[in-house]
Amino acid sequence: MKEKNFLDTVMDFEQQLESIQEQFRDLKTVVARTMEEHHALQLENHHLRARLDELNEKVPEPEKVDPVKLKKAVMDIGEGYDNLARLYHEGYHVCNVHFGSSRKGDDCLFCLSFLNKQN
């Protein structure tokens, strides 16, 4: 009886080994496929970086903006808008359609649209 039990144990062990070998073959296949994909992605990444470097060489460097000049430009825009708004409230058109003519008290949709765009 012990001999049969021992033989069954050996056969079970053999089946387990075969199952492990099959799993190992599957694992090797997955690893090989993953390595190929990794290599292909590395090549693509290299080519994309080279292309990006080419494109970056063609783009000129943006100018450094002087903060004082930027603040002055923003102030100038604000002053111009304020002047146009003042003219509109004084009764004159500031739109490109009727610029400078008297509004005669009625609101002008073109002027209002123009003034709202400035905000």
Side-chain angles (χ1 to χ4, degrees):
M1 178 93 168
K2 273 189 162 187
E3 198 172 297
K4 183 163 173 107
N5 193 10
F6 178 72
L7 189 57
D8 288 339
T9 304
V10 170
M11 289 177 69
D12 285 343
F13 185 65
E14 181 183 22
Q15 287 177 344
Q16 288 176 355
L17 280 176
E18 288 174 1
S19 174
I20 289 172
Q21 282 180 329
E22 186 177 330
Q23 288 176 0
F24 186 68
R25 279 192 295 273
D26 292 343
L27 182 62
K28 282 183 4 182
T29 304
V30 169
V31 167
R33 206 174 317 133
T34 304
M35 287 179 66
E36 288 173 3
E37 186 176 329
H38 176 71
H39 181 68
L41 288 173
Q42 278 184 325
L43 283 174
E44 182 179 3
N45 190 17
H46 175 72
H47 290 275
L48 289 173
R49 286 185 189 276
R51 180 71 177 130
L52 184 61
D53 289 342
E54 277 179 27
L55 292 174
N56 283 337
E57 287 174 3
K58 292 179 183 177
V59 176
E61 289 268 334
E63 290 182 22
K64 301 236 178 187
V65 177
D66 184 14
V68 175
K69 287 181 182 176
L70 181 63
K71 186 175 181 182
K72 183 169 177 6
V74 169
M75 280 183 15
D76 289 345
I77 291 171
E79 281 181 39
Y81 174 79
D82 290 344
N83 287 337
L84 289 175
R86 182 180 47 77
L87 285 172
Y88 180 78
H89 288 295
E90 288 177 1
Y92 295 98
H93 284 278
V94 294
C95 63
N96 62 342
V97 178
H98 304 288
F99 184 79
S101 61
S102 177
R103 284 190 300 118
K104 299 180 183 138
D106 296 331
D107 283 333
C108 173
L109 293 178
F110 295 116
C111 291
L112 292 175
S113 172
F114 175 75
L115 289 172
N116 285 334
K117 257 193 258 182
Q118 299 296 322
N119 287 338

